């Protein structure tokens, strides 16, 4: 134990003087030097004689600090995290949703402004308790000066450079689009933030629910209650999602085929789908956007346009009344909440296998 007067001095200085990171680190080094000197000089008389004849007890592995830790982020940038991050800024909706479950209350200093929008976010109530909701604002982040900032590999590279030049630690998360990739990124966040057990529990929960969903659907197919169906997510600008997307992961988890899988996808995994192509593909299920930007009634209006369009009347999904809207927060998420999205799709497509 450090001598009481050292602890008092340390607490007084930290309380009385607002310090940026550089001064804080220098102070920590100074205090650690004073503590070491006091112990060496016999300042802790209660334990000094015992210390001379016994080796210090080994710290249990479960309590050992993993810091300093060298990590490489999703952009291939290597960095050293010197100590346990205690003030964390999350600038992606993925990390908002994951870290709210991984961290203790008070550790998140900032989340994205989208995290409190129930159109996109699955953690609206929890995010509202975080002190700051923001965009990737360099000046605001420098003023906040968190221990670590999480961005995405598609975030503004120039802003990330500015933040790093200001001495901030910025970790760019590699955006995953498969279930395995999502789980791996969650485990990586747990390692970086010394929350391994919480991350493992979160991933285990995902896997358990995915196994439950797979069992429901496969048992339904095996018993003849249902037959496997295919779906297309048809957007109001005439496109669908191909294989290299979270949509593919959602469908696979729900036991639904992607009717657009064989088509060549362009930017962001999107496949152009004309009305003629939609008729030719003839999906069993049509999933339409639950939200259209700038038009509160846009999703409902688009649904009416599609099901009432004479040119699409022969499409199996329309003819057999398997057309539904999907909430954006479930369709676009790539956090652990993607499992909720998979259950949502399966309930719409295979309602027979779900108990009332």
């Amino acid at each position: 134990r450090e001598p009481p007067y050292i602890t008092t001095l340390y607490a007084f200085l930290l309380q009385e003087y607002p310090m940026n990171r550089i001064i804080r680190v220098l102070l920590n080094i100074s205090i650690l030097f004073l503590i070491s000197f006091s112990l060496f000089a016999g300042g802790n008389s209660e334990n000094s004689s015992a210390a001379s004849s016994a080796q210090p007890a080994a710290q249990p592995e479960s309590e050992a600090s993993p810091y300093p830790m060298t990590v490489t982020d999703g952009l291939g940038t290597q960095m050293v995290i010197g100590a346990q991050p205690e003030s964390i800024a999350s600038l992606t909706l993925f990390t908002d949703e994951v870290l709210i479950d991984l961290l203790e209350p008070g550790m998140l200093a900032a989340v994205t402004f989208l995290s409190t929008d129930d159109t996109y976010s699955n953690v609206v109530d929890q995010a509202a308790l975080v002190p700051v909701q923001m965009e990737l604002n360099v000046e605001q982040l420098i003023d906040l000066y968190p221990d670590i900032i999480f961005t995405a590999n598609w975030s503004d590279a120039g802003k990330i450079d500015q933040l790093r030049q200001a001495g901030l630690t910025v970790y760019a998360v590699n955006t995953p689009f498969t279930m395995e990739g999502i789980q791996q990124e969650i485990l990586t966040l747990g390692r970086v933030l010394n929350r391994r057990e919480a991350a493992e529990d979160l991933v285990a929960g995902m896997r358990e629910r995915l196994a439950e969903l797979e069992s429901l659907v496969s048992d339904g197919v095996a018993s003849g209650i249902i037959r496997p169906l295919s779906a297309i997510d048809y957007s109001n600008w005439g496109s669908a999602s191909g294989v290299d997307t979270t949509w593919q992961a959602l469908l696979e988890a729900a036991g639904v085929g992607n009717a657009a899988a064989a088509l060549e996808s362009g930017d962001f995994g999107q496949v152009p789908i004309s009305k003629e192509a939609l008729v030719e593909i003839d999906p069993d299920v049509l999933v339409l956007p639950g939200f259209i930007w700038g038009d509160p009634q846009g999703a409902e209006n688009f649904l009416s346009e599609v099901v009432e369009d004479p040119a699409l009347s022969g499409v199996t999904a329309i003819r057999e009344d398997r057309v539904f809207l999907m909430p954006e927060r479930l369709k676009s998420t790539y956090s652990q909440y993607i499992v909720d999205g998979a259950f949502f799709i399966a309930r719409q497509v295979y309602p027979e296998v779900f108990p009332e």
Side-chain angles (χ1 to χ4, degrees):
R1 284 185 302 125
E2 63 268 29
Y5 60 84
I6 293 293
T7 304
T8 303
L9 173 63
Y10 183 65
F12 172 78
L13 290 173
L14 288 178
Q15 178 179 358
E16 293 297 316
Y17 296 98
M19 297 176 289
N20 62 26
R21 179 170 299 279
I22 295 174
I23 297 176
R24 185 182 293 273
V25 170
L26 291 174
L27 177 60
N28 285 339
I29 294 171
S30 301
I31 296 300
L32 287 173
F33 175 80
L34 286 174
I35 292 171
S36 300
F37 179 81
S38 298
L39 292 174
F40 180 80
N44 189 344
S45 57
E46 180 183 352
N47 296 323
S48 58
S49 59
S52 63
S53 59
Q55 294 295 323
Q59 189 175 20
E61 185 177 350
S62 61
E63 298 178 8
S65 172
Y67 304 100
M69 179 192 299
T70 301
V71 298
T72 302
D73 72 2
L75 290 173
T77 303
Q78 191 176 83
M79 64 198 73
V80 176
I81 302 175
Q84 171 77 58
E86 296 180 356
S87 173
I88 297 157
S90 167
L91 275 301
T92 80
L93 198 49
F94 168 72
T95 49
D96 290 348
E97 293 186 345
V98 173
L99 297 183
I100 277 174
D101 275 0
L102 289 190
L103 301 176
E104 290 84 356
M107 292 186 70
L108 273 174
V111 289
T112 66
F113 69 101
L114 291 175
S115 64
T116 54
D117 187 334
D118 61 8
T119 297
Y120 304 101
S121 173
N122 295 287
V123 291
V124 171
D125 293 339
Q126 303 96 310
L129 302 177
V130 177
V132 178
Q133 296 85 37
M134 62 181 295
E135 298 183 23
L136 182 52
N137 183 295
V138 173
E139 291 76 15
Q140 192 175 4
L141 285 166
I142 291 175
D143 184 60
L144 191 63
Y145 220 91
D147 296 326
I148 190 168
I149 300 169
F150 288 101
T151 62
N153 57 336
W154 42 260
S155 297
D156 189 317
K159 291 183 178 180
I160 291 176
D161 285 343
Q162 291 179 53
L163 291 167
R164 286 174 173 161
Q165 289 170 13
L168 286 158
T169 299
V170 183
Y171 185 103
V173 174
N174 191 27
T175 304
F177 61 88
T178 65
M179 285 294 177
E180 184 60 35
I182 291 167
Q183 293 166 11
Q184 188 55 55
E185 286 300 326
I186 292 172
L187 294 174
T188 297
L189 289 174
R191 180 175 65 86
V192 169
L193 296 174
N194 198 22
R195 292 296 183 275
R196 289 176 183 265
E197 185 175 348
E200 288 168 358
D201 288 345
L202 197 57
V203 168
M206 287 182 67
R207 291 173 176 165
E208 182 178 346
R209 294 188 65 209
L210 288 169
E212 174 192 350
L213 182 55
E214 181 183 13
S215 178
L216 281 171
V217 175
S218 61
D219 289 351
V221 172
S223 64
I225 296 174
I226 59 173
R227 62 181 178 86
L229 299 177
S230 65
I232 277 184
D233 62 327
Y234 185 54
S235 75
N236 58 307
W237 58 83
S239 71
S241 299
V243 293
D244 294 331
T245 63
T246 51
W247 176 247
Q248 179 72 22
L250 279 164
L251 291 182
E252 289 176 355
V256 179
N258 186 351
L263 302 178
E264 184 177 354
S265 58
D267 293 340
F268 308 108
Q270 293 300 295
V271 177
I273 299 287
S274 63
K275 288 185 182 180
E276 293 77 14
L278 189 58
V279 172
E280 183 178 351
I281 295 169
D282 193 24
D284 300 307
V285 181
L286 273 178
V287 183
L288 306 183
F291 169 77
I292 292 177
W293 176 260
D295 186 355
Q297 302 302 316
E300 292 291 342
N301 292 338
F302 183 56
L303 172 62
S304 298
E305 290 174 14
V306 169
V307 299
E308 296 171 8
D309 190 333
L312 301 176
S313 60
V315 174
T316 298
I318 296 173
R319 193 176 67 251
E320 298 184 0
D321 193 27
R322 284 192 293 267
V323 184
F324 61 90
L325 305 178
M326 185 166 183
E328 184 65 24
R329 63 183 177 82
L330 294 180
K331 185 174 185 294
S332 62
T333 186
Y334 52 102
S335 73
Q336 67 273 19
Y337 290 95
I338 195 171
V339 180
D340 291 339
F343 267 88
F344 178 87
I345 293 171
R347 285 181 182 277
Q348 300 297 319
V349 177
Y350 304 125
E352 302 89 345
V353 304
F354 287 89
E356 295 295 334

